[in-house]
Amino acid sequence: MSPLRWVWAALAVWGAVHPMYWFVAWFRTEGWSLPRMIDAWYVNAATTGLTWDLTIAAITLTVWVLAEVAVRRNWVALLAIPATFCIGVSCGLPLYLFLRAKPIR
């Protein structure tokens, strides 16, 4: 495996674990309510802007993954889509780059 693939893999793991730490900490403090967390994303203009920034990035990544999978037939790369929407762009993007960097046979 190339050094760059190791970087993508490490970033995907970090992008999954680090944000999840903060999400779990929030749930423990505020209660296990997803609607309340979503409300917190829109508490002020700064968080609303960040929420929309990440939403647009996630949609863009999804379109990119679908477009490249249609051409490259690298079906395993589709795993980046649920990773993006269930964990976050911080996991989905490096995961996709990791899966994309694998030689296709």
Side-chain angles (χ1 to χ4, degrees), residues 74-99:
N74 182 11
W75 303 111
V76 73
L78 291 171
L79 291 173
I81 295 172
T84 298
F85 287 98
C86 294
I87 300 171
V89 176
S90 62
C91 176
L93 177 58
L95 175 63
Y96 177 67
L97 294 172
F98 171 78
L99 295 170

Side-chain angles (χ1 to χ4, degrees), residues 26-91:
W26 187 90
F27 281 128
R28 284 186 177 159
T29 302
E30 303 295 326
W32 293 85
S33 171
L34 187 58
R36 285 185 57 201
M37 177 179 252
I38 292 170
D39 287 343
W41 297 346
Y42 297 97
V43 73
N44 60 43
T47 59
T48 299
L50 184 58
T51 298
W52 278 109
D53 179 65
L54 292 172
T55 301
I56 294 165
I59 292 167
T60 303
L61 176 58
T62 300
V63 171
W64 181 28
V65 169
L66 292 172
E68 285 215 338
V69 164
V71 172
R72 297 169 54 114
R73 304 289 190 230
N74 182 11
W75 303 111
V76 73
L78 291 171
L79 291 173
I81 295 172
T84 298
F85 287 98
C86 294
I87 300 171
V89 176
S90 62
C91 176

Side-chain angles (χ1 to χ4, degrees), residues 3-18:
L4 189 55
R5 282 196 80 211
W6 282 108
V7 170
W8 299 141
L11 287 170
V13 170
W14 184 24
V17 173
H18 195 135

